Amino acid sequence: IKSTGLATMPVLYEQDKHVSSAIMTGQERGVLRCQERTSLLHHWKLTKEQIELVDKAGFGWFRLIGSISLNNSLISALVERWRRETNTFHFPCGEMTITLDEVSLLLGLAVDGKPVVTSVKERDEDPSQCWSYFHLNIDRPKRTTRQFPLALLWKGRQQSRSKNDLFKYRKALDDLDPSHVSWCPFEGDLDIVPQSFKDNLLLGRSRTKLIAPKVVEWHLPDRCMKQFGLCQVIPGEVPHRKSEKTHDEDLLEDMNTADEEWMRRRENIVENEGGNVDETEYMQWFNSITVPKLHRDTSLEADIMNVQAAILQFDEVASTLSLEDLHPEEREAVEEAVMCMSNALRVGDWYEAPPTTNKRKRREEQTECSE
């Protein structure tokens, strides 16, 4: 996939590895199982001293968010639109992303200061869900009382959803009209945002590098100018992502370069270069370098894909089961079901048979002995 505009290098150079390539050839991976481990946070009571330490570390506002019900199907549909090459979502109306200022507004996290790199456990909740509720009117729940951080506006348990909703969300994103996108959805809530956060919202337009444990990523607001109320022009080229780092010295070099880039973050604020120009040229360019639609409008095929995903999930769970304590007849029934599922996967050519796990190997050996 190459651009026909100002850029000359391939843009989506990892297309052959991207999930959209599999989807367009009928290979469905199903709904992602997003982990959510915060439902019991209300049982964890912090002491006054602990709360003071959390506040001092800059997580005081973030602590208030607590548990948010995850919509796995919606998150899965959004992940299908995410491109590592540009660190943006690719929608029919153009590119969008979660910018630094939006991270600050949604999660109540500071986005300015010296980078802190350490080994920390990532939080399982996905900010893309709350982000989409603000920007995209797709299955948007009812807002709660206005409060900061703004992720709290979508707080609460939502209606349970089936795995079939992935196809519904995929089609909704395919049909997304620019007029149904809220490009600047936070303007009406800025009055409840603390001034210390408002002072750094400008960093949302900083073309810079972000540093995290063992990874450096580009922050490219010049690809999403509509999110700042500005006109979008054809963006510049993005340096190709290097292969995964295997040597500490290579990673250290990347970290040092990114640190220098971050120190110039306020010097690299992108401006409105397009003025009030017609965005037709940009959209022609964008449509030439992206994957426009993912939904395959065939109900039977969708059902087959769901069955495929369910069988894969069953086989994955079954491979970890211990059958040693089961009655011989029960064990035989389970083993027969597992074998049928495995044969279905192989006949359908849906996967390469994984290496036999220790538990499954022991199970097969026990079966041979009993015979």
Side-chain angles (χ1 to χ4, degrees):
I1 298 178
K2 297 187 178 182
S3 68
T4 57
L6 297 181
T8 57
M9 296 175 64
V11 179
L12 303 185
Y13 53 87
E14 293 186 341
Q15 176 59 30
D16 60 328
K17 305 175 184 177
H18 193 261
V19 62
S20 60
S21 291
I23 292 172
M24 290 186 294
T25 57
Q27 302 176 52
E28 183 68 29
R29 71 176 180 185
V31 178
L32 298 176
R33 290 182 292 175
C34 306
Q35 297 180 349
E36 193 275 314
R37 298 174 180 156
T38 59
S39 58
L40 299 178
L41 276 180
H42 62 281
H43 293 303
W44 184 29
K45 303 299 182 182
L46 297 180
T47 65
K48 181 180 178 180
E49 292 75 15
Q50 289 172 330
I51 293 176
E52 291 176 353
L53 290 173
V54 171
D55 291 343
K56 187 176 181 180
F59 296 103
W61 292 104
F62 183 65
R63 177 181 64 85
L64 301 179
I65 299 177
S67 174
I68 292 181
S69 179
L70 298 182
N71 184 336
N72 292 348
S73 295
L74 176 59
I75 294 174
S76 298
L78 291 170
V79 168
E80 294 172 355
R81 298 282 177 168
W82 180 259
R83 304 304 309 219
R84 282 192 353 137
E85 303 95 327
T86 58
N87 281 342
T88 58
F89 296 106
H90 279 222
F91 298 130
C93 54
E95 293 179 69
M96 300 182 73
T97 196
I98 306 174
T99 55
L100 275 175
D101 57 319
E102 293 179 333
V103 171
S104 176
L105 294 172
L106 286 172
L107 303 181
L109 294 174
V111 294
D112 197 18
K114 295 181 179 180
V116 178
V117 180
T118 185
S119 298
V120 295
K121 184 176 181 180
E122 295 182 0
R123 180 139 180 178
D124 294 314
E125 291 181 6
D126 193 323
S128 63
Q129 176 177 312
C130 290
W131 177 90
S132 71
Y133 288 156
F134 277 101
H135 283 286
L136 314 175
N137 189 14
I138 297 179
D139 211 10
R140 180 185 289 163
K142 184 178 179 181
R143 286 174 48 141
T144 60
T145 306
R146 295 172 70 237
Q147 52 188 317
F148 185 80
L150 299 185
L152 289 170
L153 271 64
W154 312 111
K155 179 81 172 176
R157 287 280 166 188
Q158 307 299 333
Q159 180 180 357
S160 61
R161 300 170 176 85
S162 71
K163 293 183 179 180
N164 287 326
D165 284 343
L166 171 59
F167 302 98
K168 179 186 75 173
Y169 291 132
R170 186 182 292 163
K171 189 174 189 306
L173 292 175
D174 274 356
D175 299 337
L176 190 62
D177 188 271
S179 62
H180 297 156
V181 176
S182 299
W183 296 100
C184 305
F186 304 102
E187 294 179 342
D189 296 307
L190 291 180
D191 58 309
I192 64 173
V193 176
Q195 188 61 44
S196 60
F197 288 89
K198 291 182 183 179
D199 292 341
N200 294 314
L201 293 182
L202 183 66
L203 291 178
R205 288 198 284 125
S206 177
R207 193 179 195 277
T208 185
K209 288 184 177 181
L210 307 179
I211 307 173
K214 296 186 178 181
V215 66
V216 174
E217 297 286 353
W218 274 103
H219 179 252
L220 302 169
D222 55 315
R223 309 188 72 88
C224 311
M225 297 302 288
K226 288 184 181 181
Q227 290 179 229
F228 305 100
L230 305 175
C231 291
Q232 183 65 58
V233 297
I234 298 176
E237 294 179 349
V238 180
H240 278 209
R241 183 186 295 271
K242 296 180 181 180
S243 58
E244 300 298 333
K245 295 298 181 182
T246 56
H247 302 292
D248 291 340
E249 55 213 33
D250 293 333
L251 179 62
L252 180 60
E253 180 183 353
D254 272 3
M255 292 286 187
N256 291 335
T257 302
D259 186 59
E260 294 173 3
E261 192 80 33
W262 176 250
M263 296 305 292
R264 297 192 296 271
R265 59 193 177 279
R266 293 188 179 273
E267 302 171 16
N268 297 325
I269 304 298
V270 296
E271 303 295 342
N272 187 15
E273 299 178 2
N276 295 318
V277 299
D278 185 2
E279 295 181 350
T280 302
E281 182 182 6
Y282 163 74
M283 288 306 303
Q284 290 176 344
W285 168 84
F286 176 70
N287 288 328
S288 73
I289 62 96
T290 192
V291 179
K293 292 184 180 294
L294 298 182
H295 179 71
R296 297 169 63 87
D297 194 13
T298 305
S299 57
L300 177 59
E301 183 177 33
D303 291 339
I304 293 175
M305 290 178 179
N306 269 334
V307 172
Q308 171 193 348
I311 293 176
L312 284 167
Q313 184 176 357
F314 177 90
D315 189 68
E316 178 185 348
V317 173
S319 66
T320 64
L321 291 177
S322 175
L323 308 182
E324 297 174 359
D325 297 330
L326 292 180
H327 187 276
E329 293 182 358
E330 295 174 337
R331 183 169 63 247
E332 182 179 355
V334 172
E335 289 174 344
E336 184 177 352
V338 171
M339 185 61 67
C340 288
M341 291 293 185
S342 298
N343 290 338
L345 290 174
R346 294 185 179 90
V347 171
D349 195 25
W350 286 335
Y351 85 132
E352 294 182 4
T356 303
T357 62
N358 290 335
K359 288 184 178 180
R360 179 173 289 181
K361 185 175 181 180
R362 289 198 303 268
R363 186 188 312 154
E364 294 171 352
E365 292 174 348
Q366 292 170 0
T367 302
E368 292 175 356
C369 292
S370 61
E371 293 175 352

